[in-house]
């Protein structure tokens, strides 16, 4: 689903997803730090890009939880 303020910037053909969070008015470092506090690991990939990599042992439930956390964080950034 779509998350307000976040855009997928790569064609997702592999286990890598790159998001542009520029519209959240936060840096990728800030976003990754909040994700980390929520238990989601990601890497910065430029000033506003965040890179996520899944692994074969990541479950659908874990992916859904990560999407929920990204929505929650995006909402918090949008309202601040």
């Amino acid at each position: 689903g779509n998350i307000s303020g976040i855009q997928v910037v790569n064609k997702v053909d592999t286990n890598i997803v790159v998001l542009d969070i520029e519209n959240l008015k936060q840096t990728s470092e800030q976003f990754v730090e909040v994700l980390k506090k929520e238990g989601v690991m990601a890497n910065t990939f430029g000033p506003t890009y965040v890179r996520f990599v899944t692994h074969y042992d990541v479950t659908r439930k874990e992916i859904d939880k990560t999407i929920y956390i990204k929505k929650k964080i995006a909402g918090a950034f949008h309202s601040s």
Side-chain angles (χ1 to χ4, degrees), residues 2-49:
N2 294 332
I3 301 174
S4 182
I6 298 177
Q7 179 180 1
V8 177
V9 294
N10 67 314
K11 184 176 179 188
V12 183
D13 288 328
T14 65
N15 63 332
I16 298 170
V17 178
V18 179
L19 304 179
D20 184 355
I21 61 155
E22 180 178 14
N23 291 329
L24 295 180
K25 308 298 185 219
Q26 301 292 319
T27 66
S28 58
E29 291 89 3
Q30 293 168 311
F31 193 78
V32 166
E33 189 60 35
V34 176
L35 287 170
K36 185 177 178 181
K37 289 177 184 175
E38 293 283 344
V40 176
M41 301 305 293
N43 294 305
T44 61
F45 201 62
T48 64
Y49 282 17

